């Protein structure tokens, strides 16, 4: 099986890359920063020498970047079974106070990236016997919270897209899953004055993805909500 993980160099994306490789899946990793991609690639190929691990640097906030990822991926792989739309950015703030353009920026990275990438890869995904699309939503897809601002709007929209996609692909045998994590230790939380143990580990989110992949063709996990044991922050 082959998987494409967007935003796969750090945090939750990197943990998903890791768990899929552990379980014998070939991987294509996307992010923007080429040095991060190269460093991760040389580390992973040392550990998983028998696996096909490819990567490409593409900015998914633009349609051109999404198109270049589709071309880079297709040049390396003829099939895709698992697509994880994970790339995302989080700029906290209030909608009434944030800089103009903040909403557009997060809609582009958090929603349009998944929308255009999925559309572009669907013909290939439809050829798979085990097509599965994951969209990395958030607790902020379900509830508004102080300082969530436009991030929450973009994640509500991504959950809406995920539900639409699920209905559209039901008869095609393609599974669609929304993952809705609460606070998870990653770069997004850099500098926060809290012990790491108060947040979930990125590995916890990756475990939920892997568990959904393992189900029989008769079952689809439509959504997964995962919170820190002590609740939201
Ligand atoms: N951490 C949390 O508490 C939490 C909770 C709920 C949901 N989420 C969601 O989970 C996903 C991953 O979050 P994270 O906390 O693991 O983030 P992270 O550690 O900041 O990593 C984000 C990843 O996305 C890539 N990326 C960002 N913008 C991109 C773009 N325009 N094009 C391509 N790649 C891009 C980054 O690499 P480059 O910078 O090199 O591009 C990086 O690999 C996001 O969608 C986030 O909204 C996170």
């Amino acid at each position: 099986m082959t998987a494409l993980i967007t935003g796969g160099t750090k945090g939750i994306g990197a943990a998903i890359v890791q768990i899929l490789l552990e379980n014998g899946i070939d991987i294509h990793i996307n992010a923007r920063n080429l040095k991060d991609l190269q460093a991760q690639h040389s580390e992973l190929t040392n550990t998983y020498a028998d696996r096909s691990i490819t990567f490409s640097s593409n900015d998914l906030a633009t349609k051109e970047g999404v198109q270049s990822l589709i071309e880079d991926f297709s040049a390396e792989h003829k099939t895709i079974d698992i697509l994880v739309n994970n790339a995302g950015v989080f700029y906290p703030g209030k909608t009434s106070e944030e800089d103009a353009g903040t909403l557009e920026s997060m809609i582009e990275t958090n929603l349009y990236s998944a929308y255009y990438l999925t559309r572009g890869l669907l013909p290939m995904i439809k050829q798979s016997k085990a097509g599965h699309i994951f969209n990395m939503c958030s607790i902020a897809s379900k509830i508004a919270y102080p300082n969530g601002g436009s991030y929450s709007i973009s994640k509500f929209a991504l959950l809406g897209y995920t539900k639409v996609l699920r209905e559209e692909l039901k008869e095609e045998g393609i599974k669609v899953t929304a993952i809705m994590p609460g606070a998870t230790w990653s770069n997004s939380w850099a500098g926060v004055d809290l012990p790491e143990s108060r947040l979930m580990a990125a590995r916890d989110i990756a475990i939920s993805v892997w568990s959904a992949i393992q189900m029989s063709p008769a079952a689809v996990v439509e959504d997964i909500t995962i919170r820190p044991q002590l609740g939201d922050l």
Side-chain angles (χ1 to χ4, degrees):
M1 290 215 284
T2 302
L4 164 56
I5 296 96
T6 69
T9 50
K10 296 177 200 148
I12 293 171
I16 295 170
V17 165
Q18 179 69 35
I19 207 163
L20 295 186
L21 283 170
E22 287 166 15
N23 287 285
I25 293 173
D26 292 334
I27 297 285
H28 187 92
I29 304 165
N30 147 269
R32 290 167 300 183
N33 188 304
L34 186 58
K35 284 200 174 133
D36 287 350
L37 284 160
Q38 287 167 333
Q40 181 192 33
H41 184 259
S42 71
E43 203 178 307
L44 291 175
T45 45
N46 276 340
T47 314
Y48 302 99
D50 57 339
R51 213 63 36 77
S52 163
I53 307 170
T54 56
F55 64 90
S56 59
S57 161
N58 324 88
D59 182 355
L60 303 186
T62 68
K63 282 185 203 166
E64 297 73 28
V66 172
Q67 189 52 39
S68 73
L69 172 55
I70 293 167
E71 286 162 16
D72 291 341
F73 178 81
S74 305
E76 304 272 8
H77 305 272
K78 296 299 159 232
T79 57
I80 177 168
D81 306 289
I82 299 161
L83 169 62
V84 185
N85 287 307
N86 167 76
V89 285
F90 170 56
Y91 308 129
K94 293 185 169 46
T95 56
S96 52
E97 294 169 6
E98 64 196 10
D99 291 343
T102 303
L103 173 63
E104 288 86 338
S105 171
M106 278 191 282
I107 290 280
E108 281 160 4
T109 308
N110 298 351
L111 175 69
Y112 290 167
S113 61
Y115 173 85
Y116 286 111
L117 183 60
T118 304
R119 276 168 58 106
L121 288 173
L122 260 180
M124 211 194 233
I125 297 173
K126 284 180 181 175
Q127 290 166 21
S128 168
K129 297 264 181 300
H132 201 150
I133 300 166
F134 290 87
N135 286 345
M136 196 53 65
C137 300
S138 171
I139 287 294
S141 299
K142 292 166 62 131
I143 51 166
Y145 59 91
N147 242 24
S150 289
Y151 177 75
S152 204
I153 298 173
S154 72
K155 290 292 182 179
F156 265 77
L158 183 60
L159 178 59
Y161 171 52
T162 311
K163 288 174 185 280
V164 170
L165 205 53
R166 160 77 181 124
E167 290 309 313
E168 290 179 354
L169 298 178
K170 208 177 247 179
E171 303 292 334
E172 311 260 3
I174 298 169
K175 300 186 187 193
V176 180
T177 303
I179 308 283
M180 288 177 279
T184 307
W185 195 259
S186 76
N187 276 0
S188 312
W189 293 92
V192 74
D193 189 17
L194 284 168
E196 199 170 326
S197 59
R198 175 64 180 83
L199 284 76
M200 292 182 287
R203 176 83 181 180
D204 292 323
I205 316 308
I207 290 169
S208 76
V209 168
W210 177 240
S211 73
I213 290 170
Q214 291 176 82
M215 295 195 186
S216 82
V220 59
V221 178
E222 291 186 332
D223 44 67
I224 299 181
T225 299
I226 325 170
R227 285 192 156 92
Q229 174 63 18
L230 291 175
D232 290 335
L233 291 171

